[in-house]
Amino acid sequence: VSGLDVEAIREDFPILDRKIGGDVTVPGPDEGDDKPLYYLDNAATSHTPRQVVEAMTEYYYEYNSNVHRGIHSLSQEASVAYEQAHDRVAEFIGADGREEIVFTKNTTEAFNLLAYTWGLTELEPGQNVVTTQMEHHASLVTWQQLCEKQGAEVRYVEIDDDGRLDMDDFRAKVDDDTAMVSAVHVSNTLGTVNPVTEITEIAHEHGALSFIDGAQAVPTRPVDVAEIDADFYAFSGHKMLGPTGIGVLYGKRDLLEDLPPFLVGGSMIRRVEFEGATWEDLPWKFEAGTPPIAEAIGLTAAIDYLEDVGMEAIERREWELASYAYERLNEFDDIEIYGPETDRGGLVSFNLEGVHAHDLSSILDDHGVAVRAGDHCTQPLHDVLDVPASTRASFYLYNTTDEIDELIEAVDTARQLFA
Ligand code: PMP
């Protein structure tokens, strides 16, 4: 067993006590709410513990101020907290200091940042970007658009019948014209955990860079970017107990040094004259304008929370919950599950025969079970799976096997209804 004290953890998340079922056109609880909530949509976003909300509240109540520019006390306090947030993230993922940690809005912006800076200046006609069939649109559409602009080619590595990457195909698709190799660390649809160290090695053998999408990995397992040797790595605060509005682009220092800025304006310049401007040091060169200060403080508290529980314990818990859900869903012949049976992250996507994922998830919602239905921002992957959509249950440290039993029961109601 994982060794997590789930009951104690749940106490830190007030939203888990919420009832639902009433008027959803008005945000928040109302009189019609009569069902318990079984929240199994953590891959979309995670909930926020008191500790994170309190850290942000303390900032707003006690030292709210803009950073980097004030000499006054509050501004200095806010600046220290904001800068230290970079150190905390660096330490959490094994980066070599705050210079390698750029705060973005989310994972999506991290991809776009790299496309607009590296992509528009370095990617040349005739070169290629190798990515995979299981990428999130944040990655896939970014590379697609970039390659179209630059006259480069995107190549998609195929998946096998188990939903794992075909590594022979990977090796075949990367060649000496490959400039970038980009893969998702943990697939948000299949749950597949990709061999990102090996993928990065293949990239480097051909002189290409690697960009790993860690949006589902950093929240759920220990991640060490130095061990992976990734050149770039991205993730979002809101999927790891943190607030919305903040994400991270990790990049190796020398690579980030060489890139031009993405957004320009205040805070990212060293000196501006009418004839031109020079840029601030890393990471500020990439953080134009007033940054997400409260969010950075919230993200720091989220990392403290995750580390207190322990990333190894969280990884084990994810596996316990995912394998329990897999086994329970697998008991039924009319349920198709996507992705590998073993070595998977904490989520399971599936379809119930004869029932569209949207209908299924609306019946689940009637039971208080919150899941995601649709393509999960992986439409091309659903084309490969040959289904228009799927239903995804995704777990986090506060979930229980009882909640998965509720899911199975609710699926059974749908089965009866559509029989
Ligand atoms: N990549 C993966 C694997 C994801 O799961 C997500 C979120 N669903 C994203 C990228 C995009 O994250 P965000 O919406 O926070 O930019």
Short mmCIF file of all heavy atoms in Angstrom, two decimals, residues 43-44 106-109 111 136 138 184 186-188 213 215-216 236 238-239 372 376-377 392, ligand 1:
data_model
loop_
_atom_site.label_atom_id
_atom_site.label_comp_id
_atom_site.label_asym_id
_atom_site.label_seq_id
_atom_site.Cartn_x
_atom_site.Cartn_y
_atom_site.Cartn_z
N ALA A 43 -7.09 14.80 -14.10
CA ALA A 43 -6.17 15.07 -15.20
C ALA A 43 -6.53 16.39 -15.88
O ALA A 43 -5.70 17.03 -16.52
CB ALA A 43 -6.20 13.93 -16.22
N ALA A 44 -7.80 16.81 -15.73
CA ALA A 44 -8.21 18.12 -16.28
C ALA A 44 -7.73 19.22 -15.34
O ALA A 44 -7.08 20.18 -15.76
CB ALA A 44 -9.72 18.18 -16.45
N ASN A 106 0.61 28.49 -18.53
CA ASN A 106 0.27 27.06 -18.45
C ASN A 106 1.21 26.27 -19.37
O ASN A 106 2.11 26.87 -19.97
CB ASN A 106 -1.20 26.84 -18.84
CG ASN A 106 -1.56 27.59 -20.11
OD1 ASN A 106 -0.74 27.74 -21.01
ND2 ASN A 106 -2.78 28.07 -20.21
N THR A 107 0.97 25.00 -19.50
CA THR A 107 1.79 24.17 -20.39
C THR A 107 1.67 24.65 -21.84
O THR A 107 2.65 24.69 -22.59
CB THR A 107 1.33 22.70 -20.30
OG1 THR A 107 1.36 22.29 -18.94
CG2 THR A 107 2.21 21.79 -21.13
N THR A 108 0.45 24.99 -22.21
CA THR A 108 0.19 25.44 -23.58
C THR A 108 1.08 26.63 -23.94
O THR A 108 1.69 26.68 -25.01
CB THR A 108 -1.30 25.85 -23.72
OG1 THR A 108 -2.09 24.74 -23.29
CG2 THR A 108 -1.65 26.24 -25.13
N GLU A 109 1.17 27.59 -23.02
CA GLU A 109 2.00 28.77 -23.30
C GLU A 109 3.47 28.40 -23.36
O GLU A 109 4.24 28.99 -24.13
CB GLU A 109 1.78 29.86 -22.26
CG GLU A 109 2.43 31.17 -22.69
CD GLU A 109 2.26 32.27 -21.67
OE1 GLU A 109 1.23 32.96 -21.71
OE2 GLU A 109 3.15 32.44 -20.84
N PHE A 111 4.73 25.67 -24.61
CA PHE A 111 4.96 25.19 -25.98
C PHE A 111 5.02 26.35 -26.97
O PHE A 111 5.89 26.41 -27.83
CB PHE A 111 3.85 24.20 -26.39
CG PHE A 111 4.17 22.79 -26.00
CD1 PHE A 111 3.64 22.23 -24.85
CD2 PHE A 111 5.02 22.02 -26.77
CE1 PHE A 111 3.95 20.94 -24.47
CE2 PHE A 111 5.34 20.72 -26.41
CZ PHE A 111 4.80 20.17 -25.26
N HIS A 136 -0.97 15.80 -26.76
CA HIS A 136 -2.03 16.77 -26.46
C HIS A 136 -1.99 17.86 -27.53
O HIS A 136 -0.93 18.17 -28.07
CB HIS A 136 -1.74 17.36 -25.08
CG HIS A 136 -2.83 18.21 -24.53
ND1 HIS A 136 -3.01 19.52 -24.89
CD2 HIS A 136 -3.79 17.95 -23.61
CE1 HIS A 136 -4.04 20.03 -24.21
NE2 HIS A 136 -4.53 19.08 -23.43
N ALA A 138 -1.93 20.90 -27.22
CA ALA A 138 -0.99 21.97 -26.84
C ALA A 138 0.35 21.77 -27.53
O ALA A 138 1.00 22.73 -27.95
CB ALA A 138 -0.80 21.99 -25.32
N VAL A 184 5.09 13.38 -24.99
CA VAL A 184 4.41 13.54 -23.71
C VAL A 184 5.00 12.52 -22.73
O VAL A 184 5.29 11.39 -23.11
CB VAL A 184 2.89 13.38 -23.92
CG1 VAL A 184 2.51 11.97 -24.36
CG2 VAL A 184 2.10 13.78 -22.69
N VAL A 186 3.59 11.46 -19.60
CA VAL A 186 2.48 10.55 -19.28
C VAL A 186 1.29 11.00 -20.12
O VAL A 186 0.87 12.16 -20.03
CB VAL A 186 2.12 10.61 -17.79
CG1 VAL A 186 0.90 9.73 -17.50
CG2 VAL A 186 3.30 10.19 -16.91
N SER A 187 0.77 10.10 -20.94
CA SER A 187 -0.34 10.47 -21.83
C SER A 187 -1.61 10.77 -21.02
O SER A 187 -2.00 9.98 -20.17
CB SER A 187 -0.62 9.34 -22.82
OG SER A 187 -1.93 9.47 -23.34
N ASN A 188 -2.26 11.90 -21.35
CA ASN A 188 -3.46 12.28 -20.62
C ASN A 188 -4.69 11.51 -21.08
O ASN A 188 -5.77 11.65 -20.51
CB ASN A 188 -3.73 13.80 -20.75
CG ASN A 188 -4.03 14.19 -22.18
OD1 ASN A 188 -3.32 13.81 -23.10
ND2 ASN A 188 -5.10 14.92 -22.39
N ASP A 213 6.59 16.96 -22.54
CA ASP A 213 5.36 17.52 -21.97
C ASP A 213 5.07 16.78 -20.67
O ASP A 213 4.60 15.64 -20.67
CB ASP A 213 4.23 17.33 -22.99
CG ASP A 213 2.88 17.76 -22.44
OD1 ASP A 213 2.78 18.09 -21.24
OD2 ASP A 213 1.91 17.74 -23.23
N ALA A 215 2.89 17.66 -18.25
CA ALA A 215 1.67 18.14 -17.59
C ALA A 215 1.02 17.09 -16.70
O ALA A 215 0.46 17.42 -15.65
CB ALA A 215 0.67 18.65 -18.63
N GLN A 216 1.10 15.81 -17.11
CA GLN A 216 0.50 14.75 -16.29
C GLN A 216 1.53 14.02 -15.44
O GLN A 216 1.17 13.19 -14.60
CB GLN A 216 -0.22 13.72 -17.18
CG GLN A 216 -1.36 14.29 -18.01
CD GLN A 216 -2.53 14.78 -17.16
OE1 GLN A 216 -2.67 14.43 -15.98
NE2 GLN A 216 -3.37 15.61 -17.73
N SER A 236 1.94 22.37 -15.74
CA SER A 236 0.97 23.39 -15.30
C SER A 236 0.74 23.30 -13.79
O SER A 236 0.59 22.20 -13.25
CB SER A 236 -0.39 23.16 -15.97
OG SER A 236 -0.31 23.32 -17.37
N HIS A 238 -1.99 24.11 -12.10
CA HIS A 238 -3.35 23.74 -11.68
C HIS A 238 -3.60 22.23 -11.65
O HIS A 238 -4.61 21.79 -11.12
CB HIS A 238 -4.40 24.41 -12.58
CG HIS A 238 -4.41 23.89 -13.99
ND1 HIS A 238 -5.25 22.90 -14.40
CD2 HIS A 238 -3.68 24.23 -15.08
CE1 HIS A 238 -5.03 22.65 -15.69
NE2 HIS A 238 -4.09 23.45 -16.12
N LYS A 239 -2.70 21.46 -12.23
CA LYS A 239 -2.87 19.99 -12.19
C LYS A 239 -2.11 19.38 -11.02
O LYS A 239 -2.10 18.18 -10.82
CB LYS A 239 -2.37 19.37 -13.50
CG LYS A 239 -3.24 19.73 -14.70
CD LYS A 239 -2.75 19.02 -15.93
CE LYS A 239 -3.23 19.65 -17.22
NZ LYS A 239 -4.63 19.35 -17.55
N ARG A 372 -14.26 13.11 -17.27
CA ARG A 372 -14.15 13.89 -18.49
C ARG A 372 -14.65 13.06 -19.65
O ARG A 372 -14.30 11.89 -19.78
CB ARG A 372 -12.67 14.25 -18.70
CG ARG A 372 -12.34 15.02 -19.94
CD ARG A 372 -12.71 16.49 -19.79
NE ARG A 372 -12.30 17.19 -21.00
CZ ARG A 372 -11.35 18.11 -21.04
NH1 ARG A 372 -10.73 18.46 -19.96
NH2 ARG A 372 -11.05 18.69 -22.18
N HIS A 376 -10.41 14.79 -24.98
CA HIS A 376 -9.33 15.15 -24.05
C HIS A 376 -8.17 15.87 -24.75
O HIS A 376 -7.00 15.66 -24.42
CB HIS A 376 -8.80 13.90 -23.31
CG HIS A 376 -9.86 12.89 -23.02
ND1 HIS A 376 -11.02 13.22 -22.35
CD2 HIS A 376 -9.97 11.59 -23.35
CE1 HIS A 376 -11.79 12.14 -22.28
NE2 HIS A 376 -11.18 11.14 -22.86
N CYS A 377 -8.53 16.71 -25.74
CA CYS A 377 -7.49 17.44 -26.50
C CYS A 377 -6.52 16.50 -27.18
O CYS A 377 -5.32 16.82 -27.33
CB CYS A 377 -6.74 18.45 -25.63
SG CYS A 377 -7.79 19.74 -24.98
N ARG A 392 -13.04 9.51 -19.45
CA ARG A 392 -11.78 9.36 -18.71
C ARG A 392 -12.00 9.59 -17.22
O ARG A 392 -12.51 10.64 -16.83
CB ARG A 392 -10.75 10.36 -19.23
CG ARG A 392 -9.42 10.31 -18.50
CD ARG A 392 -8.47 11.38 -18.97
NE ARG A 392 -8.91 12.70 -18.53
CZ ARG A 392 -8.40 13.85 -18.96
NH1 ARG A 392 -7.45 13.84 -19.88
NH2 ARG A 392 -8.85 15.00 -18.51
N1 PMP B 1 -0.32 18.36 -22.08
C1 PMP B 1 -0.97 17.40 -21.42
C2 PMP B 1 -0.45 16.00 -21.44
C3 PMP B 1 -2.13 17.72 -20.71
O1 PMP B 1 -2.79 16.75 -20.06
C4 PMP B 1 -2.57 19.05 -20.70
C5 PMP B 1 -3.84 19.43 -19.95
N2 PMP B 1 -4.96 18.63 -20.27
C6 PMP B 1 -1.85 20.01 -21.41
C7 PMP B 1 -0.72 19.63 -22.06
C8 PMP B 1 -2.27 21.44 -21.44
O2 PMP B 1 -2.24 22.00 -20.18
P1 PMP B 1 -2.83 23.47 -19.96
O3 PMP B 1 -4.27 23.41 -20.40
O4 PMP B 1 -2.69 23.69 -18.49
O5 PMP B 1 -2.02 24.38 -20.80
#
